[in-house]
Amino acid sequence: MRQRLEARKLLVDKTSIACKVTEQDVKKKEDNLSTEVRSLLVGGTTLSIAKSKLQESNCQLEGESGYAHLKIVTNKLRKRQQFMISQVSFIYPLKIEAGPSQDQELESFPGGSRLGTKPLSQGSVRILGLPFSMAPFTRMSFFTDKKEVQKSATALGYVAHAVSLIAPYLRVPIRYPLRLGGSKTYIRDYAPYIEPSPSDMSPITTLSQNSNFVEFPLFLDGQDTTRAAYAVFLLNKNIEQLLNFVGENSLGPRQVLANLKELIRIIQSPDYIDSL
């Protein structure tokens, strides 16, 4: 009987200890649950406040008054952009020079419809009276006209300056930044950095140790036509980026002047303000 009594006492003690542990676990869970409930209450209050603010904002935007106000502000912004771009066009006028045989195909160009028309050649568009030709940038020889090379470099400097003015007016960060210098302008490429060999480096080309970019000349530096041609390609990609921003496509990979003229024409057209 004593052994049984002792065994019962041990069982009762174990059961009591287990109950105490269970009570402690239950208390911890209750505390955690109360914390979560308080968090849910705070979250619900925050959500209710946000919902009410959203409803107020929707009420302000609903109806003609809200949309009309937004349209007025947007119209003012785009008219201001048109004015600034017109000033750029006044500084760097782009004119089409073509013979009588090209009049018909050029008439469709200012209208914006290019279906069934031939793209403009580089020689048909001039900036400040200067043409641009890709021929020296793709093949340089002893017989290349040095004046034509200088005119093309100057024209590219004008285009680079015009692009550097238009991009901020449209609030578009161009992918390939420019270092302006007139006919000695450079363009930067932030492509994956590959350290060039010393023979590929020109004395003026700079490589930044902190930011990985390479500068390419928008002019013919000696006989290195590859780097200059790539610089023209990057400049045209900047203009293509601006064209895409206003909802148009590029006229071609080498149509630098024609693409710039098309960009200015689209921004100055009445459809640019109405396309909200």
Side-chain angles (χ1 to χ4, degrees):
M1 293 291 290
R2 287 180 179 177
Q3 290 178 353
R4 290 181 181 178
L5 182 60
E6 293 293 333
R8 290 293 177 90
K9 286 182 179 180
L10 290 174
L11 181 60
V12 169
D13 292 340
K14 290 180 179 179
T15 304
S16 177
I17 293 172
C19 289
K20 290 180 179 180
V21 172
T22 304
E23 287 178 359
Q24 292 177 357
D25 292 340
V26 170
K27 188 175 182 180
K28 289 181 180 179
K29 290 181 179 180
E30 287 180 352
D31 294 339
N32 294 333
L33 184 60
S34 62
T35 303
E36 292 178 358
V37 169
R38 285 195 296 270
S39 299
L40 287 175
L41 291 175
V42 173
T45 304
T46 305
L47 182 61
S48 178
I49 295 172
K51 185 177 180 181
S52 62
K53 290 183 178 180
L54 179 61
Q55 290 177 350
E56 291 177 1
S57 301
N58 289 334
C59 292
Q60 292 177 357
L61 291 176
E62 284 179 355
E64 292 294 331
S65 59
Y67 178 74
H69 179 69
L70 177 62
K71 190 173 182 179
I72 290 172
V73 173
T74 306
N75 282 342
K76 288 181 179 180
L77 174 62
R78 294 203 170 187
K79 286 180 180 179
R80 183 63 179 174
Q81 289 175 342
Q82 282 187 334
F83 174 76
M84 300 304 294
I85 301 303
S86 68
Q87 298 302 304
V88 176
S89 178
F90 178 76
I91 297 172
Y92 297 111
L94 289 155
K95 295 183 179 180
I96 300 174
E97 295 187 3
S101 60
Q102 292 179 314
D103 288 343
Q104 185 174 1
E105 72 179 43
L106 292 180
E107 285 177 358
S108 62
F109 178 70
S113 176
R114 296 186 299 275
L115 295 177
T117 62
K118 297 179 181 179
L120 292 177
S121 63
Q122 288 287 347
S124 62
V125 183
R126 293 172 179 260
I127 180 168
L128 267 179
L130 293 179
F132 170 71
S133 175
M134 276 295 297
F137 289 83
T138 55
R139 185 178 64 259
M140 187 74 173
S141 66
F142 179 77
F143 300 98
T144 302
D145 188 358
K146 300 299 186 294
K147 291 184 178 180
E148 182 183 359
V149 172
Q150 183 61 33
K151 288 181 180 179
S152 295
T154 304
L156 287 176
Y158 292 158
V159 173
H161 189 207
V163 170
S164 68
L165 293 174
I166 294 174
Y169 297 155
L170 299 180
R171 302 185 68 181
V172 177
I174 53 179
R175 295 188 183 94
Y176 307 103
L178 295 157
R179 181 160 67 87
L180 301 175
S183 60
K184 299 291 184 180
T185 298
Y186 290 83
I187 189 167
R188 295 177 178 178
D189 184 12
Y190 286 88
Y193 178 69
I194 300 176
E195 182 159 0
S197 61
S199 61
D200 295 335
M201 289 286 295
S202 63
I204 307 178
T205 303
T206 60
L207 295 178
S208 175
Q209 297 178 354
N210 297 327
S211 55
N212 297 331
F213 67 85
V214 184
E215 287 188 339
F216 294 91
L218 281 164
F219 57 92
L220 287 175
D221 187 11
Q223 300 294 322
D224 192 359
T225 60
T226 304
R227 294 170 62 82
Y230 184 66
V232 176
F233 169 78
L234 295 181
L235 178 62
N236 194 61
K237 294 300 289 183
N238 280 342
I239 303 175
E240 182 180 355
Q241 179 187 0
L242 297 175
L243 280 169
N244 295 153
F245 177 77
V246 297
E248 275 294 329
N249 296 321
S250 172
L251 297 173
R254 296 184 177 183
Q255 303 291 330
V256 177
L257 297 183
N259 280 331
L260 181 60
K261 181 173 180 60
E262 177 70 353
L263 174 66
I264 294 176
R265 183 200 65 79
I266 292 172
I267 297 174
Q268 290 181 330
S269 65
D271 295 337
Y272 179 72
I273 297 179
D274 297 334
S275 61
L276 299 179

